Amino acid sequence: MGLIDYADAYRMLQRYGIRSVESRYVPNAKEAVSFSKGKPIVLKAISQKALHKSRSGLVALNLSSDKEITQSYNQLTRKAQQFRPYKILAQRMVSRGTEIIIGGKIDSQFGKMILLGLGGIYVETFKDFALRLCPITKYDAESMLRQLKSSAIVAPDKQTASHITELLLKTSRMFMENEITELDLNPVLIHDGTYDAVDLRIIK
Amino acid sequence: MKKGNQKIKYADLRHIMSPKSVAIIGASENPDKIGHVILQNYVDSGFAGKIYPININTTGKILSFKAYKSVLELKGKVDLAVIAIPAQVVPQALDECGRAGVKGAVVVSGGFAEVGEVKLEEDLIRVANKYSMPVIGPNCLGVMDLRSRNDTLFLPTFKIDRPKIGGVSFASQSGAVGSTVLDLISNEGFGLARFISYGNASVVDEVDVLEYLAHDKETKVIVFYIEGVKRGKEFAETAKKTTKLKPVVIIKGGVTSAGSQAAHSHTAALAGSAEAYEAIFRQFGFAIATDIKDLLNFAKIFDTQPPATGNRIAIITNGGGTGVLATDAVCQNGLVVAKLSKESEQSLRKSMPPIVNIRMPLDMAGDADDKRFSTVLEVIENDPNIDAIIAVALFQTPGADSRVAATLIHYATHMSKPMVVISMGGSYTKMHKEMMESAGVPVYDSPGDAARSLAALINYSRYKKGI
């Protein structure tokens, strides 16, 4: 059991056509600046020992100037000392959107199950989620979305709804075809008529 | 049930449910013994097949039946053995059943894995597998089949009512919930097809029971109380197949367990075992009841009403306030209040007195008699904007009498749309409620019960259409 490296997880999602924000490990502040190309980015310290990055202060959002990026990079590396070994990941900053969670776990009785819920910081507060046994059908995916109390917030229009059902079907396939015991895509940001997985946690 | 590694297609419970001959192992003259009560019940219920009391200490006769020391004396003659003897000697008695060619057994006796006697239960399973014999129990009430008057319950008939014959089958892991619900069903309008209390589920388990009831021709609706399942994956597969054939109403005991505390992900923290069960029920179209009352509420709508084409509900009433409460209940349960079509509106405007507002909820006023009910229901039956009907019939009103009940019976049993009735009140109402229920109309005491039950039916209809 162990967390799959972010870069490997990212590639796995790409293989299944699951959109996630462009990301790269950056060995130093200079590389982070060049990844940014003047556009806003996010820096995250990634460590097996820190499962809740934002809670541990290991995330710096919305950095665009060279100075901001360099300063935050140095701050992050200081904070991350207690979680060594770690790596710093640079990601494109996605503008605002609704945060959802797509997850997977193995139930001891029934097997692999997939979860859809209102995501980000709301997961544990509202516990608004739907769960199904994998592999799921299109009907299952649609009924998961319908089941959410927040379905009108999560999928305000048909296009978004079909993005989410597609995403659920792809995630179910990925979960079934790989040696995965748990996974969190949290949050997945719903924005501008599309979506992007912003944080990934896949456990072997 | 499993035989070695090889799975049996599904446990053949026919001989257990409707046997032509029964051996009661542990039958006794002593009224304090469970074996006595079981034998007495077979006599009282008028079982038409052969009855063979078995008692190792017998001197010849028990309750005027010829008694035997062992089932081995009856080789080839016995369909069902009901075993009510101390746990230690059950495996041996079961082995004798196997050698005598008994086709199935119910082990009523407790004292197995539920009290830590795991080895004893393993012995029982081994014997059952050796003879490929379906065994229900141990630690259970067993079965009741009203058509063949087969009744293994060790509860005297004066303590628990026996239901009438019908299409609802009820399976329960727990004997306590089993007997309580059975007693309650006896006082409902609908009847029972089969009852199975399967206790420790050591041989015949939840999957076998569900599969048997799914294929059973007498069973229209399955009602299930479970605390857990032994074969999760097979249960999910069987659930999926079963709900394609008939509705299943389920209640699960022990749903308040928390998610795993040591979880590595949000997902694992959110989705504990109780959530997994609920997800499986939902995914495969079970109607989930959260209390015993809803178990019965849901059973009666599934037993009598056709599937719904959608969730647009017409509410008609002879009492304004109750119509408003019904409207609230409809909205709270994910249903919508229907809008009358233009044609319906025009037709009702002509036929209703001026005091009636032609809109939903349709308040037909306190003087509404059977003719007014009938006129409205005729229009609603043919309105394409309406999928299902809630009729509030308050029998305290000046216009309502037995003719209103008869009208409601006519529509609720002839329409292609589902209909439920809400009637609340004292003895005059209760009389009409019984009249309607025994004719196949689901009648509810409260708008909440009615709307929840209708929502359960509509969800299942949508599930069947969607998959």
Side-chain angles (χ1 to χ4, degrees):
Chain A
M1 185 146 170
L3 199 62
I4 296 181
D5 182 76
Y6 200 98
D8 295 334
Y10 181 77
R11 273 193 293 277
M12 191 189 283
L13 292 191
Q14 280 192 321
R15 272 210 308 284
Y16 286 87
I18 298 170
R19 286 176 55 101
S20 46
V21 287
E22 190 192 348
S23 308
R24 200 167 77 211
Y25 282 126
V26 282
N28 52 50
K30 212 177 136 208
E31 291 258 348
V33 169
S34 85
F35 174 82
S36 152
K37 298 192 192 88
K39 289 190 192 121
I41 62 163
V42 179
L43 291 176
K44 295 174 176 175
I46 307 279
S47 161
Q48 292 268 6
K49 291 173 192 160
L51 287 170
H52 293 282
K53 288 186 281 293
S54 50
R55 218 178 281 166
S56 312
L58 300 180
V59 179
L61 297 169
N62 205 10
L63 316 166
S64 11
S65 73
D66 296 5
K67 195 178 151 203
E68 269 178 334
I69 293 172
T70 311
Q71 263 177 5
S72 295
Y73 190 98
N74 294 334
Q75 250 168 30
L76 269 189
T77 52
R78 270 198 303 279
K79 280 186 193 160
Q81 287 311 310
Q82 53 172 320
F83 299 109
R84 285 170 72 171
Y86 66 90
K87 287 189 228 175
I88 304 288
L89 186 82
Q91 283 187 320
R92 292 265 162 247
M93 176 82 193
V94 181
S95 55
R96 247 171 264 192
T98 309
E99 297 187 333
I100 63 167
I101 174 175
I102 305 235
K105 68 157 272 181
I106 299 180
D107 180 78
S108 58
Q109 185 64 263
F110 298 108
K112 289 188 173 179
M113 303 193 80
I114 185 168
L115 173 143
L116 166 72
L118 188 60
I121 57 168
Y122 300 115
V123 177
E124 277 157 5
T125 315
F126 295 124
K127 294 192 167 58
D128 183 17
F129 66 89
L131 194 66
R132 295 290 184 276
L133 186 66
C134 292
I136 56 167
T137 63
K138 188 155 177 272
Y139 175 85
D140 293 330
E142 287 164 354
S143 80
M144 288 174 87
L145 194 50
R146 265 204 309 271
Q147 189 189 328
L148 296 185
K149 292 187 196 81
S150 54
S151 64
I153 299 169
V154 168
D157 53 70
K158 275 195 173 159
Q159 191 195 8
T160 312
S162 83
H163 275 312
I164 293 174
T165 49
E166 274 301 306
L167 175 56
L168 282 166
L169 288 165
K170 286 172 180 169
T171 309
S172 164
R173 243 190 76 208
M174 179 178 83
F175 192 20
M176 290 306 284
E177 291 174 2
N178 292 277
E179 274 183 42
I180 297 172
T181 60
E182 275 176 44
L183 73 97
D184 271 355
L185 310 183
N186 183 35
V188 176
L189 266 178
I190 308 288
H191 66 100
D192 308 315
T194 181
Y195 71 88
D196 274 292
V198 174
D199 209 351
L200 333 167
R201 185 180 306 156
I202 300 181
I203 298 166
K204 248 188 206 156
Chain B
M1 65 189 270
K2 281 182 175 179
K3 194 190 172 192
N5 293 325
Q6 179 199 353
K7 232 189 306 173
I8 293 172
K9 196 179 144 241
Y10 63 90
D12 189 352
L13 304 183
R14 278 176 307 164
H15 299 292
I16 293 180
M17 293 308 306
S18 337
K20 297 207 163 52
S21 51
V22 178
I24 297 156
I25 302 178
S28 168
E29 285 283 355
N30 179 353
D32 293 337
K33 299 279 185 192
I34 279 176
H36 176 91
V37 180
I38 293 172
L39 177 57
Q40 186 65 54
N41 281 349
Y42 268 96
V43 176
D44 291 348
S45 61
F47 178 67
K50 286 270 184 202
I51 298 172
Y52 303 109
I54 312 279
N55 191 316
I56 197 156
N57 302 315
T58 186
T59 51
K61 283 205 163 182
I62 299 175
L63 285 179
S64 78
F65 287 91
K66 181 174 171 19
Y68 301 83
K69 285 187 186 302
S70 162
V71 74
L72 285 170
E73 295 171 43
L74 299 161
K75 234 174 179 153
K77 287 186 183 166
V78 177
D79 283 348
L80 168 66
V82 183
I83 302 180
I85 53 178
Q88 294 78 14
V89 287
V90 166
Q92 189 201 329
L94 200 61
D95 192 80
E96 287 176 9
C97 288
R99 278 153 58 202
V102 173
K103 296 185 181 109
V106 168
V107 180
V108 171
S109 321
F112 292 85
E114 81 279 7
V115 293
E117 295 288 346
V118 178
K119 165 84 171 50
L120 213 49
E121 189 149 324
E122 283 168 359
D123 289 347
L124 181 150
I125 295 168
R126 201 170 305 118
V127 175
N129 285 342
K130 183 172 154 194
Y131 299 101
S132 297
M133 185 178 11
V135 175
I136 290 189
N139 185 33
C140 70
L141 286 177
V143 302
M144 183 190 283
D145 179 76
L146 300 168
R147 286 178 177 83
S148 61
R149 303 192 177 191
N150 179 37
D151 180 344
T152 75
L153 272 60
F154 53 83
L155 306 168
T157 45
F158 70 87
K159 282 199 168 181
I160 164 174
D161 296 337
R162 263 52 170 183
K164 53 184 160 299
I165 294 179
V168 177
S169 283
F170 174 44
S172 176
Q173 185 165 358
S174 151
V177 172
S179 51
T180 309
V181 172
L182 212 50
D183 206 9
L184 290 168
I185 289 178
S186 310
N187 294 293
E188 289 284 338
F190 61 87
L192 183 83
R194 325 270 191 191
F195 169 69
I196 304 173
S197 146
Y198 55 87
N200 294 4
S202 58
V203 181
V204 170
D205 64 13
E206 302 78 18
V207 179
D208 300 308
V209 169
L210 191 58
E211 202 154 15
Y212 166 74
L213 293 176
H215 294 98
D216 175 35
K217 287 197 173 60
E218 309 292 357
T219 301
K220 265 176 73 185
V221 182
I222 299 170
V223 175
F224 218 141
Y225 172 86
I226 64 166
E227 282 162 15
V229 303
K230 295 201 166 172
R231 293 182 282 150
K233 292 200 169 104
E234 288 93 333
F235 184 81
E237 278 167 33
T238 308
K240 190 176 173 181
K241 287 185 205 147
T242 304
T243 47
K244 279 183 187 150
L245 301 169
K246 54 189 78 166
V248 180
V249 181
I250 197 152
I251 185 165
K252 183 180 177 301
V255 291
T256 45
S257 76
S260 163
Q261 294 303 307
H264 294 271
S265 61
H266 284 295
T267 302
L270 287 172
S273 159
E275 288 78 10
Y277 273 99
E278 201 205 313
I280 297 291
F281 299 158
R282 225 182 243 277
Q283 187 168 2
F284 301 119
F286 284 15
I288 305 170
T290 49
D291 63 28
I292 296 222
K293 204 173 156 221
D294 271 351
L295 213 58
L296 303 169
N297 283 337
F298 293 0
K300 72 180 171 195
I301 193 170
F302 280 116
D303 187 43
T304 58
Q305 296 302 300
T309 44
N311 67 347
R312 299 164 303 172
I313 315 298
I315 300 164
I316 66 166
T317 178
N318 62 353
T322 319
V324 175
L325 291 173
T327 305
D328 290 342
V330 159
C331 298
Q332 282 159 2
N333 284 282
L335 309 174
V336 298
V337 178
K339 275 206 171 67
L340 289 162
S341 71
K342 276 273 164 302
E343 292 74 20
S344 299
E345 260 181 37
Q346 282 163 4
S347 157
L348 288 172
R349 186 65 286 159
K350 273 184 220 152
S351 53
M352 289 294 114
I355 50 159
V356 173
N357 273 320
I358 308 303
R359 59 154 191 253
M360 286 293 156
L362 188 71
D363 181 0
M364 301 176 291
D367 62 342
D369 58 4
D370 58 315
K371 289 191 190 64
R372 209 177 290 167
F373 268 94
S374 162
T375 307
V376 168
L377 284 166
E378 194 65 38
V379 168
I380 280 176
E381 180 180 9
N382 297 307
D383 189 327
N385 293 352
I386 291 166
D387 299 309
I389 299 108
I390 293 181
V392 180
L394 303 175
F395 284 91
Q396 299 85 357
T397 59
D401 56 20
S402 301
R403 286 171 295 185
V404 165
T407 302
L408 292 170
I409 289 170
H410 173 77
Y411 283 95
T413 52
H414 285 84
M415 263 192 298
S416 60
K417 297 174 182 179
M419 174 171 149
V420 300
V421 172
I422 300 171
S423 285
M424 304 177 271
S427 52
Y428 188 68
T429 298
K430 281 200 186 104
M431 180 183 83
H432 287 106
K433 183 183 170 182
E434 275 171 30
M435 196 175 137
M436 289 188 280
E437 291 229 304
S438 59
V441 185
V443 184
Y444 296 98
D445 296 329
S446 79
D449 286 356
R452 263 197 321 285
S453 306
L454 204 47
L457 179 78
I458 288 169
N459 282 341
Y460 177 63
S461 308
R462 172 154 72 178
Y463 171 80
K464 264 190 97 168
K465 223 172 85 188
I467 51 163

